[in-house]
Amino acid sequence: MVDNVPTALAAEQQGHLQKALKRFDILFLIIAAVISLETLGQVSVFGAEVLTWALVLAIAFLVPYALIFAEVGAAFREEGGAYTWVRNAFGRGAAAIAALLTWVTQPIWVGGSMAFLAAETVNTYLFPLGAGSFADYAFKLVFIWITVTAAIVSLRRGKWLPTVGAILKIALLGFFVLTTVIYAFQHGVTGLTAGDFSPTLLGLFGSVPILLFAYLGFESSNSAAGEMVNPARDVPISIARSAATAALCYLLPILAILLVVPTDEITGIGGLLEAVGVVYSVYGSGAEVMGTITAVGFVFVLVSQGASWMIISDRMQAIAAADGAFFGGFFGRFNRRLGTPVRVNVLSGVVSTSFMLVAMQVTGTSAAVFAVVLSISISTFLLSYLLVIPAAVRLRRLYPELERPFRVPVSDRGFAALGYLSFAWVLLGSWIAVFPGTLERRFGLDYDFRETWGVSQAEFETFTLGTLGFLLILGAVGYMRGARVRQHAVAIDDNPAPALDAARTEGHA
């Protein structure tokens, strides 16, 4: 059996998919997932130079990365997205690891970072929860399972939570930037100088993993490619528009935060809302009410963001399971009525809940827990791209005859160069995320681990490497348990990737 031939179970599940995503839906699903409000404060703690590095990465990483996946996403349109790309390029074993790392990032992130940020927002700006109280636990559980429920219901209904959240997110950021301009005219800004924007190695090593995490994921909607009405046409346009929107939604708010909040007063867990509290003073007696409304909107945006990733990543993992790459096919079934992978959705909820409970036991402040768990999410997400990016590059060489509705206007070597550049950035970010402080010390830079992270290095590495080690074992066991499913491949002549024939047919239709 050829290793990249889909299994009979995977082919069967394609019949349960419902065409529900049009260009409008794809665009806002990507925006809801990729533009991460929680990273704004975390990255702003590095001061004005982070704006320089954000601009550098927008040009030297985001542009080539978006071009690569606009081409690949339009040409390879199977449900499962990056999983199927890695499988077609390197085989099912590599694809199993890539899918697992991508998928597990989301429940870890939702349960270990976003739920904490939402709870902190409620506790600070709405009503007291009490750290570690019953109300605190209950709120985080409700937050997690709302995101899971949005992924369980049919896509025709579930897509509206991310869509509304994406629109609200853009509106909230736009209003914040506008208010900052008004505030600056009335009260002035912090004393930033041109020298504050000068890039340094310390700023590079500190901010690059977070910025990469913020810029990655535009191709993620292809996990639901089988549920798109016209992916060949809509994917490239959606990636281009969402990438441009993301660049603006990061660069402008980061600048706004830096202009009104002194760097030494910015906290990673509350950076955006701290800045909101400052600039809303221009509204006088209405500031408190507007702040409350903004906090409610902020929590809703976080819920919609978590839901969008659950919708996207759970589909990828379900296809991996149906393809014999994650246990024996139990998690690879889509509900006939809903058209959603309910079993993986529930599994994501369980993993997210478990990680939330473990994170609650980590010593340190809420801000420290948030930063550590966000770093773990960053590490698993970035590591997956060490397989996904080379796969995207290799697919152009392996399938030159495949019609590409959008083609990057460069040679194959030029396309590979774009991939190498993107890969180099991800490799750097992955190392820093897993082993923070090592490069700083290598270059003779001062680095106080506990002051930076709020926990000891031993505690950080135990949590991080323990998570990665557990995932490695889980992936190996899951792949071995899928052997029986892999024995039943779809029989199609000698074509190693039968779904590509369907893509060709669709492209000529």
Side-chain angles (χ1 to χ4, degrees):
M1 183 189 74
V2 181
D3 192 36
N4 61 356
V5 176
T7 66
L9 179 60
E12 175 190 339
Q13 299 310 302
Q14 300 287 332
H16 303 325
L17 303 179
Q18 302 171 5
K19 298 285 186 181
L21 296 178
K22 298 181 180 180
R23 184 182 300 177
F24 173 89
D25 306 310
I26 299 169
L27 173 62
F28 286 106
L29 183 63
I30 296 174
I31 290 175
V34 177
I35 300 177
S36 305
L37 296 186
E38 77 281 4
T39 62
L40 291 173
Q42 195 68 22
V43 77
S44 296
V45 301
F46 296 100
E49 69 169 296
V50 77
L51 196 66
T52 304
W53 287 120
L55 184 59
V56 168
L57 278 172
I59 297 170
F61 173 77
L62 180 58
V63 171
Y65 153 77
L67 286 172
I68 289 171
F69 286 104
E71 176 175 314
V72 173
F76 295 84
R77 303 185 289 276
E78 300 170 74
E79 184 85 358
Y83 167 78
T84 63
W85 303 340
V86 178
R87 183 198 64 199
N88 291 339
F90 300 123
R92 191 174 275 104
I97 296 299
L100 179 62
L101 289 172
T102 301
W103 164 70
V104 82
T105 296
Q106 313 320 325
I108 288 176
W109 179 49
V110 170
S113 286
M114 298 187 72
F116 280 75
L117 178 54
E120 186 71 11
T121 300
V122 170
N123 188 59
T124 303
Y125 298 98
L126 299 178
F127 52 84
L129 289 174
S133 67
F134 173 81
D136 188 24
Y137 276 92
F139 176 85
K140 290 169 182 172
L141 285 171
V142 170
F143 179 94
I144 290 168
W145 286 95
I146 288 177
T147 68
V148 173
T149 302
I152 289 176
V153 300
S154 68
L155 192 56
R156 294 184 187 278
R157 296 180 179 179
K159 68 182 181 182
W160 288 108
L161 178 57
T163 298
V164 174
I167 295 172
L168 180 60
K169 182 186 302 185
I170 294 173
L172 189 155
L173 291 175
F175 187 72
F176 166 62
V177 171
L178 177 62
T179 305
T180 302
V181 173
I182 298 172
Y183 179 90
F185 275 111
Q186 293 185 3
H187 302 282
V189 296
T190 58
L192 293 177
T193 66
D196 294 327
F197 294 91
S198 299
T200 66
L201 279 178
L202 197 61
L204 171 67
F205 296 150
S207 63
V208 159
I210 305 172
L211 289 172
L212 289 174
F213 184 72
Y215 282 148
L216 283 167
F218 292 98
E219 82 297 336
S220 59
S221 62
N222 268 82
S223 295
E227 297 160 88
M228 295 178 182
V229 174
N230 193 339
R233 180 195 63 187
D234 295 339
V235 166
I237 295 174
S238 298
I239 288 179
R241 291 176 178 174
S242 59
T245 302
L248 291 175
C249 286
Y250 285 125
L251 292 170
L252 293 180
I254 288 173
L255 176 60
I257 291 172
L258 294 170
L259 287 175
V260 297
V261 182
T263 301
D264 57 359
E265 296 180 15
I266 298 174
T267 64
I269 195 169
L272 177 61
L273 290 180
E274 288 165 355
V276 165
V278 174
V279 300
Y280 274 15
S281 63
V282 303
Y283 299 117
S285 59
E288 184 175 350
V289 173
M290 293 183 65
T292 300
I293 294 173
T294 300
V296 172
F298 187 74
V299 173
F300 182 85
V301 165
L302 292 177
V303 171
S304 69
Q305 194 169 328
S308 63
W309 274 115
M310 290 291 190
I311 289 171
I312 291 168
S313 63
D314 285 0
R315 281 164 165 76
M316 176 189 294
Q317 193 62 17
I319 290 297
D323 208 38
F326 186 67
F327 291 95
F330 176 82
F331 294 109
R333 296 189 178 277
F334 284 69
N335 184 276
R336 291 178 180 273
R337 180 174 62 86
L338 300 174
T340 57
V342 175
R343 294 174 180 178
V344 175
N345 297 148
V346 174
L347 178 63
S348 289
V350 172
V351 172
S352 191
T353 300
S354 300
F355 213 87
M356 181 272 289
L357 295 174
V358 171
M360 291 287 286
Q361 309 311 312
V362 175
T363 59
T365 64
S366 295
V369 174
F370 172 77
V372 171
V373 178
L374 178 60
S375 180
I376 293 174
S377 301
I378 290 171
S379 66
T380 55
F381 200 48
L382 293 186
L383 287 170
S384 70
Y385 281 90
L386 296 180
L387 289 167
V388 176
I389 292 175
V393 172
R394 192 163 191 253
L395 286 174
R396 191 192 245 210
R397 181 171 58 83
L398 286 179
Y399 302 102
E401 78 287 357
L402 183 65
E403 181 181 1
R404 285 167 166 75
F406 169 77
R407 185 181 182 89
V408 182
V410 296
S411 66
D412 288 354
R413 287 188 177 182
F415 192 79
L418 295 177
Y420 295 148
L421 178 59
S422 302
F423 182 87
W425 280 112
V426 172
L427 183 62
L428 173 64
S430 298
W431 179 269
I432 296 171
V434 178
F435 304 108
T438 54
L439 292 181
E440 287 87 345
R441 296 181 185 122
R442 176 67 179 82
F443 286 89
L445 303 172
D446 291 333
Y447 191 85
D448 187 319
F449 200 98
R450 181 172 285 280
E451 182 179 344
T452 302
W453 293 97
V455 297
S456 69
Q457 185 170 2
E459 193 171 18
F460 179 96
E461 296 297 355
T462 297
F463 205 13
T464 302
L465 295 179
T467 299
L468 294 176
F470 172 77
L471 292 177
L472 184 63
I473 295 172
L474 178 66
V477 173
Y479 190 78
M480 288 188 292
R481 293 294 302 274
R484 185 174 60 181
V485 177
R486 294 194 299 274
Q487 292 173 359
H488 302 285
V490 176
I492 287 187
D493 299 327
D494 295 321
N495 186 353
L500 298 183
D501 273 345
R504 293 191 192 96
T505 302
E506 178 187 338
H508 288 291

